[in-house]
Amino acid sequence: MSPKPSFRLRLLAICLIQVFIISWTLTSAEVHVATHGSDTAAGTLASPFRSIQRAADALQPGDECIIHAGTYREWIKPPRGGTSETQRITYRAAPGEKVVIKGTERVNTWTKQAGGGWRVELPDAFFLGSNPFKRNLAGKFLFYGTEYHLGDIYLDGVSLKERLVREEVSSLPMSWWLEPAEGRTILHANFGETDPNASLTEIAVRECLFFPTVTGLAYITLDGLVFTQAAPQWAYWDVPQEAAVGTGYGRKWIIQNCHFTDVHCTALVCGNGRTKMNEGFDASAVGRHIVRHNTFTRCGEAALHGNRGWVGSLIEGNLIEDINVKNEFGGMETGGIKIHYAVDVTIKGNIVRRVYGHKPANLAKSQSVEFTGIWVDWAAQGTRVSGNVVYNTEAWSLFLQNAHGSPLLVDNNIFSGRQIRVTSEGVIFAHNLFVNCPLFVRSGNKAVAIWEPHTGKRLGTPPVLQARVKWWSNIFSTQGLESFQRGEAGNASDWNVFLGGAKPTTWDDAHSQVEPLDPTVSFKDLPNGVEISFRADTAQKAVGGPLITSEFVGEFALTKQRLVDADGIPIAVAHDLVGSPRAKIHPMAGPLEGLHDGMNRIILRAGASLLTAQADTNLPDK
């Protein structure tokens, strides 16, 4: 008879089994998806799933979905998120492989018409859910374009333009018209000399691409994916918002290294649906997202939008361009970045360019049309706009609207050619470069919520005054601060540099420098960034301003809040636009600490083509 194992050995064996079980449960599983797979497969590398949705249904906290090259035409509705930073659910493109998620379906049943052009007829059931060709643009603050539909037609990836009169289509290549019909969708299109059945011809069929239908999911990562050709509805602040990708009022998502292209309205939203003006919310249950190193291009309304869903989030190193290129519709929600209730949000190191739009002549004066590079709207508090470059926009570069701020920090940015619009108080502008930017600073004259610091707990709704706006250590070219009035309590301006005819305030700027030098600032587009050239002299060194720190700024009496980040850590503008340390005593004015006399060049890069944002400075070109 074999001897019985001792109690200690049995206890040790039990412990080892438990450790094995725990470590097995905590081990991340890899689930694979490929276009040659099957949804009845095992989801392994050797036997992958066919659809991303099938993988989403199977994924558990800690799992990773590896998606292999190809086109996936689906709306992924994740049923669950992760449970912690170490137990995330991740959707990632396989290394070196291009994964494209589309809101379109291919159509190759077009019929050539006798009078020219092409026609296709599809049953409405073809669209499975919401038919974008049967949905007109609609929503609050949308002041023109409601006669257009959400549908789009794409020829080899290029979007055709909708026409409202059939006769126009016959004479205008790359255009289409919808024939009214019950139970059917009849499209007429002009593809020029191209046979649509022999090319890649696609039509929009779904409004969203990755968007949960349940709220509150957390710890989801999207990495290296392409989202394109979605047909979401116009987004505005107090309804459930649609977009190509949405967090569903979730928490701690990471969206990185992705491309968003050709989205009819908005690419990415973090919002919560129906709310009341100035209504409080639980800031601990939402936000803290990281959206970094993505590219957003050809979005009809905005790249990023949302209401209350961005609390404590970081939006960093993104390239945003070609917003509203068709200009078919517009109102008061269009911009590169448009965020309501931005509490403790950091918008950092983004490049925003070519935001288009103009006000049609037939609109009433009350129907304001606004197209803005970066737009922080309503009840923002503790938010920082830092190190961004905004240029070549048709309307405003920056709009800080209807907030007590207290504080809002705008530092180390470069804005060019369009208005800086401020209807908020408690704003600090420090170390920015403003290139021919007209200034509009007025009282918001609205009753707007203030929050207990770092929360959504409302402390009151006092009126927004034209007060406590500070301009410190900035450089102005051509347009200055001559229109900035003393206003209410706490406005200030000093240690600035005014070049090329820009003028200081008429009542402050005791230590500021005024120089006749024309900085001749120019911007050159790069595929993933921008090259900026400008002249400098000794003025930015001689101005002798202080280092902008939380201690220097002090406490804002209205909110009892200091200049701190989302975690309560004091903020100092101790580094410049490219991360170089500033001098602790008398740092240079403007966004760059290392400027030299004569011509300077700086190259900034952002977007999904880079693992990290990059900057090259001090490239002399004398």
Side-chain angles (χ1 to χ4, degrees):
M1 180 180 289
S2 303
K4 292 183 178 180
S6 71
F7 174 78
R8 288 183 179 179
L9 287 175
R10 280 182 289 158
L11 183 61
L12 178 61
I14 291 169
C15 290
L16 288 173
I17 291 169
Q18 288 177 333
V19 168
F20 173 79
I21 291 171
I22 291 170
S23 52
W24 180 79
T25 19
L26 292 179
T27 300
S28 298
E30 273 192 1
V31 177
H32 289 261
V33 178
T35 55
H36 64 268
S38 167
D39 282 351
T40 60
T44 62
L45 178 60
S47 181
F49 292 136
R50 172 61 182 87
S51 71
I52 304 170
Q53 183 63 57
R54 175 65 182 88
D57 292 337
L59 291 169
Q60 300 297 322
D63 291 350
E64 185 172 51
C65 177
I66 306 298
I67 310 169
H68 294 274
T71 297
Y72 298 84
R73 301 181 188 273
E74 53 182 305
W75 174 355
I76 301 108
K77 303 172 183 178
R80 68 189 65 84
T83 54
S84 68
E85 288 292 351
T86 58
Q87 293 291 289
R88 287 184 160 273
I89 290 181
T90 298
Y91 299 81
R92 189 189 311 278
E97 300 187 38
K98 185 176 182 179
V99 175
V100 182
I101 302 170
K102 286 190 172 184
T104 52
E105 294 289 341
R106 188 170 186 177
V107 174
N108 56 7
T109 55
W110 295 86
T111 303
K112 187 71 181 271
Q113 300 299 288
W118 299 79
R119 178 184 186 274
V120 70
E121 180 175 327
L122 300 165
D124 284 350
F126 177 82
F127 297 90
L128 301 178
S130 174
N131 181 347
F133 293 95
K134 296 292 180 75
R135 297 177 75 193
N136 285 70
L137 282 141
K140 288 183 181 179
F141 310 112
L142 176 62
F143 294 144
Y144 70 95
T146 56
E147 64 272 31
Y148 289 98
H149 299 89
L150 298 180
D152 279 298
I153 301 174
Y154 297 90
L155 177 66
D156 293 326
V158 178
S159 174
L160 279 67
K161 188 173 177 64
E162 182 179 6
R163 299 294 172 177
L164 303 177
V165 179
R166 180 177 181 175
E167 287 70 26
E168 291 183 353
V169 173
S170 60
S171 60
L172 296 171
M174 298 298 285
S175 65
W176 63 272
W177 174 74
L178 173 69
E179 178 182 336
E182 286 292 330
R184 299 165 295 154
T185 297
I186 302 174
L187 300 171
H188 298 260
N190 184 339
F191 298 100
E193 300 299 318
T194 302
D195 179 350
N197 296 322
S199 301
L200 178 60
T201 306
E202 301 160 291
I203 69 168
V205 302
R206 53 185 68 88
E207 57 266 45
C208 305
L209 303 177
F210 192 103
F211 205 130
T213 54
V214 293
T215 59
L217 299 187
Y219 299 107
I220 290 177
T221 297
L222 306 179
D223 193 351
L225 308 172
V226 178
F227 298 97
T228 186
Q229 298 176 357
Q233 182 59 276
W234 172 262
Y236 59 99
W237 72 273
D238 64 346
V239 296
Q241 297 174 334
E242 296 176 4
V245 175
T247 64
Y249 206 48
R251 191 167 186 266
K252 293 198 171 182
W253 288 41
I254 297 175
I255 301 172
Q256 61 187 11
N257 308 315
C258 294
H259 289 260
F260 296 80
T261 72
D262 295 285
V263 179
H264 199 89
C265 286
T266 296
L268 171 62
V269 297
C270 298
N272 68 327
R274 298 194 183 279
T275 54
K276 296 179 181 178
M277 188 73 73
N278 290 321
E279 183 178 14
F281 61 103
D282 183 1
S284 66
V286 69
R288 294 278 182 156
H289 306 299
I290 297 173
V291 177
R292 62 189 171 198
H293 313 315
N294 304 285
T295 296
F296 299 85
T297 186
R298 296 189 300 278
C299 305
E301 181 181 358
L304 288 82
H305 209 291
N307 171 32
R308 291 178 170 85
W310 288 100
V311 175
S313 293
L314 172 65
I315 301 168
E316 181 178 26
N318 302 286
L319 175 62
I320 298 170
E321 60 185 3
D322 297 322
I323 304 301
N324 192 38
V325 290
K326 292 183 179 180
N327 194 29
E328 292 176 331
F329 54 90
M332 294 178 65
E333 299 290 332
T334 302
I337 298 173
K338 173 72 192 300
I339 297 177
H340 297 81
Y341 292 78
V343 176
D344 292 337
V345 179
T346 299
I347 302 170
K348 180 180 180 182
N350 304 283
I351 297 173
V352 183
R353 62 192 179 198
R354 297 193 300 276
V355 178
Y356 298 105
H358 65 272
K359 183 174 181 176
N362 61 345
L363 285 188
K365 289 184 178 181
S366 61
Q367 293 178 305
S368 177
V369 176
E370 298 162 358
F371 306 89
T372 305
I374 298 176
W375 189 346
V376 179
D377 186 359
W378 203 274
Q381 188 169 307
T383 279
R384 185 178 187 183
V385 179
S386 180
N388 305 281
V389 179
V390 182
Y391 71 104
N392 194 13
T393 62
E394 284 196 342
W396 306 329
S397 293
L398 175 70
F399 190 8
L400 306 178
Q401 183 180 16
N402 297 336
H404 295 286
S406 300
L408 293 179
L409 175 61
V410 181
D411 68 287
N412 285 331
N413 302 280
I414 298 177
F415 298 105
S416 174
R418 291 297 181 263
Q419 191 175 77
I420 304 299
R421 192 174 182 89
V422 182
T423 58
S424 295
E425 59 180 322
V427 183
I428 301 165
F429 290 92
H431 291 286
N432 301 285
L433 170 60
F434 298 99
V435 183
N436 193 22
C437 293
L439 182 64
F440 180 96
V441 182
R442 296 288 187 275
S443 167
N445 197 29
K446 302 283 187 181
V448 178
I450 57 173
W451 314 107
E452 182 179 297
H454 317 301
T455 77
K457 181 180 178 181
R458 190 179 64 188
L459 297 178
T461 54
V464 176
L465 305 176
Q466 199 269 292
R468 293 174 285 277
V469 178
K470 322 283 189 182
W471 303 83
W472 293 327
S473 299
N474 303 284
I475 298 176
F476 296 85
S477 171
T478 310
Q479 302 261 1
L481 289 173
E482 57 269 33
S483 65
F484 179 47
Q485 303 300 312
R486 185 183 294 273
E488 310 280 348
N491 288 333
S493 180
D494 210 351
W495 306 292
N496 300 296
V497 174
F498 298 90
L499 304 175
K503 297 177 182 179
T505 63
T506 58
W507 52 273
D508 211 347
D509 282 303
H511 304 93
S512 295
Q513 300 282 312
V514 180
E515 297 288 339
L517 173 73
D518 181 358
T520 58
V521 184
S522 65
F523 297 82
K524 178 182 177 182
D525 286 3
L526 302 176
N528 61 346
V530 59
E531 177 182 310
I532 307 170
S533 302
F534 55 97
R535 296 185 183 279
D537 62 8
T538 58
Q540 75 275 357
K541 302 176 186 177
V543 71
L547 189 67
I548 307 302
T549 65
S550 181
E551 182 179 11
F552 174 79
V553 171
E555 184 179 82
F556 283 77
L558 191 64
T559 58
K560 308 299 183 186
Q561 184 168 335
R562 290 182 173 271
L563 191 62
V564 296
D565 66 14
D567 297 314
I569 298 172
I571 291 174
V573 188
H575 293 82
D576 71 1
L577 170 62
V578 296
S580 298
R582 289 198 176 276
K584 293 182 180 180
I585 300 176
H586 303 322
M588 285 190 180
L592 294 168
E593 186 68 17
L595 291 179
H596 56 259
D597 293 355
M599 185 64 76
N600 292 260
R601 288 192 297 133
I602 174 175
I603 295 175
L604 301 168
R605 297 185 175 92
S609 57
L610 300 172
L611 293 178
T612 58
Q614 300 178 15
D616 304 314
T617 57
N618 292 331
L619 303 173
D621 186 15
K622 295 186 178 180

